[in-house]
């Protein structure tokens, strides 16, 4: 049972994190230091790049997994 619950929880947490980033205007860049969070008002270019990359990952990875089966 655990092997079916863990991927579901990971997917739900990724989707919730994505929508929270859109709602708050802060994107998680994934690097440590002063550039760990990107503010939409101060740096709109890097923010939308990160959101586009995360969108690609949220859509592209499940499609690749579905096609591999």
């Amino acid at each position: 049972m655990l092997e079916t619950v863990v991927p579901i929880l990971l997917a739900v947490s990724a989707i919730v994190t994505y929508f929270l980033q859109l709602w708050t205007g802060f994107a998680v860049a994934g690097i440590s230091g002063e550039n760990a969070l990107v503010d939409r008002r101060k740096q709109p270019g890097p923010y939308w790049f990160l959101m586009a990359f995360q969108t690609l990952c949220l859509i592209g990875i499940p499609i690749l997994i579905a096609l591999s089966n």
Side-chain angles (χ1 to χ4, degrees):
M1 180 173 149
L2 187 62
E3 60 271 359
T4 59
V5 173
V6 171
I8 293 170
L9 290 176
L10 287 174
V12 168
S13 67
I15 292 168
V16 167
T17 302
Y18 179 79
F19 283 112
L20 281 174
Q21 290 179 102
L22 280 175
W23 183 50
T24 61
F26 290 97
V28 178
I31 55 176
S32 62
E34 64 187 43
N35 295 327
L37 290 176
V38 177
D39 188 1
R40 180 173 48 205
R41 289 174 285 165
K42 293 180 183 177
Q43 301 171 324
Y47 172 82
W48 288 113
F49 173 76
L50 284 171
M51 295 309 292
F53 179 72
Q54 290 177 10
T55 302
L56 179 69
C57 290
L58 280 173
I59 294 172
I61 291 174
I63 288 173
L64 289 175
I65 291 171
L67 291 175
S68 70
N69 294 333

